[in-house]
Amino acid sequence: MSDEPPKAGSLRGDLTQGPLARTLLVFALPQLVGNVLQSLNGSINAVWVGQLLGDQALAATANANILLFLLFALIFGFGMAATVRIGQAWGAKDVATARRVLGTAIGLTGIISIILTVLGILYAHVLLDWLATPGAARGQALAYLRVVFIANPLMTVTTMIAMGLRGAGDAGTPLRFMILSTVLDVALNPLLIQGIGPFPALGIAGSAWATVIATTIALASLLVWIYAKDLPLRLRGAELAWLRPRGAETRTLLGMGLPMGAQMLVISGAGVIMIGLVNREGLVTAAAYGALLQIWNYIGMPAMAIGGAVSAMVAQHIGAAREERVDAISRAGSLANLAMTGLMIAALVPFDRPVLELFLGAGSPSVPAALHIQDLAIWTYLPFGITIVLFGTLRSYGVIYAQLLVLLTAMYGVRLGAYYLLYPLIGADALWYSFLLSSIASMALTLAVYFFGPWRKLMLARVAAARVGNALVA
């Protein structure tokens, strides 16, 4: 097999050709399925934990998972930066640069994830104290966290490879191994929790070990597949030196990845604050919110998948100098997200009680609390989905700090301001109304950045220049 990059005309994953809406949806669908599988994995595991170990264990995993997302946020920021850079290189048919970006991203985030893993294991108890984790759930949350942190470096490498492949227009390969990981994790959870057959009974730590084992097998299988199929982004020979972070690509990834990671930290930090405020309402509300987070993960999946697809498509169009289609991509993504998210909400609401009882049990006092919260807060995903999709376009143009400001204003200024203003009047319902108000604010601010930000003038100027150049050539 040759180490030479494929010729320009033979590149797979070109997202700049064909009908725009169809290309977007076909590319987004595997990402959506993968995201749903990720949530399904977490949800089924939550069912196992809730049914086999009870409400306290479920509240423990909810507290632990928000911390894992907090620690993973920075890594995900670098992944988004790598997707943009690889997409731009792919659009320009520069495979060597795409490989160099992926190698640098894996090496850089691998080092960071190992450091975060060690710190997480050592200071997990401090993090849980910051969350005000209820005492009945704290011990189980600590046992879960200290094991599942082991999977962090493995998940980091898997995520970097998956996001790199998507930047190159390949959404199918990551999906295959997401399916493998999900099946293994779901199957191993009850075996390791209860000690069925030859497996030891590990309680809540068994759920964490299932994640570690499934992630390890899926990553190893993904690497075997990439090299067996000789996929264009694989690294061979001298290219393996690109795994050592250095040079211009490292500076570029740091310049883009740190603020993008900061955005994820802002989102996850707001989630941590929310968990802390919910915990102060008692164990019933904490368990109800933990179950709802499992359900709401599904509602947010279309926006995440379409936002990621929009980012990759826009990046490739920038690289290919076809920016005249950028607004159409953003519009198609926004409309597709509204339709898909709306359908998911409409399908869920009539059956929310039996779904919640899967997590909490039919006799749990947390079920009525969860139903009440759902009625008030589920609508937040419609406006916030528009924000996520438009962020995908803005991210491809390097508009990062404006997004950070939008999130800070909406999730801290608006959300916390509304909570503290409304709490004396309506009590705990202030949590859910503040959730909705912050989502509406984020959409309004993002629309302002999209249509009136300085980036837009530069984009339109390049489009006009390209049209003039094309006319001269013709």
Side-chain angles (χ1 to χ4, degrees):
M1 295 181 183
S2 172
D3 285 347
E4 292 298 317
K7 295 184 182 300
S10 66
L11 283 184
R12 293 170 285 179
D14 187 347
L15 302 176
T16 66
Q17 306 299 320
L20 189 151
R22 180 179 180 277
T23 301
L24 175 65
L25 290 175
V26 169
F27 181 61
L29 184 59
Q31 298 185 64
L32 176 59
V33 173
N35 290 343
V36 169
L37 281 174
Q38 256 185 325
S39 289
L40 185 64
N41 184 14
S43 296
I44 294 175
N45 292 346
V47 169
W48 286 127
V49 169
Q51 295 289 342
L52 299 177
L53 300 174
D55 284 3
Q56 292 179 5
L58 185 62
T61 57
N63 279 258
N65 286 333
I66 196 69
L67 284 174
L68 291 172
F69 183 74
L70 178 64
L71 294 177
F72 200 67
L74 180 61
I75 301 299
F76 197 73
F78 286 115
M80 290 189 292
T83 298
V84 169
R85 288 288 296 120
I86 290 171
Q88 291 171 349
W90 212 253
K93 309 223 173 0
D94 185 355
V95 179
T97 294
R99 288 178 182 171
R100 187 164 55 248
V101 172
L102 180 59
T104 302
I106 292 172
L108 181 62
T109 57
I111 294 170
I112 294 172
S113 68
I114 291 171
I115 294 171
L116 290 177
T117 295
V118 172
L119 292 175
I121 292 172
L122 292 176
Y123 296 103
H125 62 291
V126 176
L127 296 173
L128 292 172
D129 288 342
W130 286 350
L131 279 183
T133 304
R138 186 182 181 282
Q140 295 190 75
L142 186 59
Y144 180 85
L145 269 178
R146 284 182 167 158
V147 174
V148 83
F149 269 130
I150 298 170
N152 190 43
L154 304 170
M155 288 189 288
T156 294
V157 174
T158 303
T159 298
M160 288 303 112
I161 295 174
M163 296 184 81
L165 290 170
R166 290 178 186 131
D170 180 1
T173 297
L175 176 60
R176 290 185 182 94
F177 297 94
M178 175 61 68
I179 293 171
L180 174 62
S181 177
T182 299
V183 170
L184 288 172
D185 202 353
V186 168
L188 288 171
N189 252 268
L191 301 179
L192 292 172
I193 289 173
Q194 286 201 309
I196 298 173
F199 298 95
L202 300 175
I204 197 168
S207 180
W209 276 114
T211 298
V212 173
I213 294 168
T215 303
T216 302
I217 294 174
L219 174 58
S221 302
L222 172 60
L223 292 172
V224 169
W225 177 273
I226 287 171
Y227 283 93
K229 295 294 183 179
D230 197 30
L231 298 187
L233 283 184
R234 89 289 180 277
L235 303 179
R236 291 186 187 276
E239 295 170 341
L240 292 170
W242 291 336
L243 291 168
R244 188 173 69 182
R246 60 182 177 181
E249 289 303 339
T250 298
R251 290 191 294 272
T252 300
L253 286 177
L254 286 171
M256 297 178 66
L258 286 173
M260 287 182 184
Q263 291 175 27
M264 301 303 295
L265 286 171
V266 166
I267 294 173
S268 56
V272 168
I273 292 173
M274 195 75 173
I275 284 282
L277 294 173
V278 168
N279 285 342
R280 285 167 174 78
E281 299 298 323
L283 186 58
V284 168
T285 303
Y289 188 61
L292 283 171
L293 286 179
Q294 296 295 331
I295 297 172
W296 290 349
N297 280 339
Y298 292 100
I299 305 301
M301 287 300 104
M304 297 300 294
I306 295 171
V310 165
S311 184
M313 283 191 69
V314 171
Q316 286 200 16
H317 278 75
I318 293 170
R322 297 198 62 191
E323 293 170 85
E324 73 278 1
R325 303 214 303 175
V326 165
D327 279 342
I329 295 171
S330 300
R331 184 167 54 252
S334 298
L335 291 174
N337 171 71
L338 281 175
M340 295 172 73
T341 303
L343 284 173
M344 291 187 74
I345 292 174
L348 170 66
V349 169
F351 306 102
D352 51 2
R353 176 178 285 274
V355 171
L356 285 165
E357 288 176 349
L358 283 175
F359 299 102
L360 298 165
S364 172
S366 298
V367 171
L371 290 170
H372 176 68
I373 295 168
Q374 172 118 298
D375 289 341
L376 297 180
I378 195 172
W379 314 105
T380 192
Y381 287 92
L382 290 171
F384 194 66
I386 301 298
T387 299
I388 296 299
V389 171
L390 294 182
F391 271 15
T393 297
L394 295 171
R395 184 163 60 241
S396 295
Y397 278 92
V399 183
I400 303 168
Y401 290 100
Q403 295 182 38
L404 188 58
L405 183 60
V406 165
L407 293 173
L408 284 169
T409 301
M411 293 191 159
Y412 293 82
V414 175
R415 183 180 294 181
L416 293 179
Y419 168 75
Y420 286 111
L421 284 173
L422 293 174
Y423 195 87
L425 302 175
I426 58 177
D429 281 352
L431 284 165
W432 326 122
Y433 283 112
S434 69
F435 206 57
L436 179 59
L437 290 172
S438 69
S439 181
I440 294 171
S442 71
M443 180 185 69
L445 292 170
T446 302
L447 286 169
V449 172
Y450 185 89
F451 286 109
F452 304 109
W455 75 277
R456 189 169 182 80
K457 294 180 180 178
L458 296 174
M459 184 267 284
L460 293 175
R462 288 202 294 265
V463 170
R467 286 173 177 166
V468 170
N470 292 337
L472 292 175
V473 170

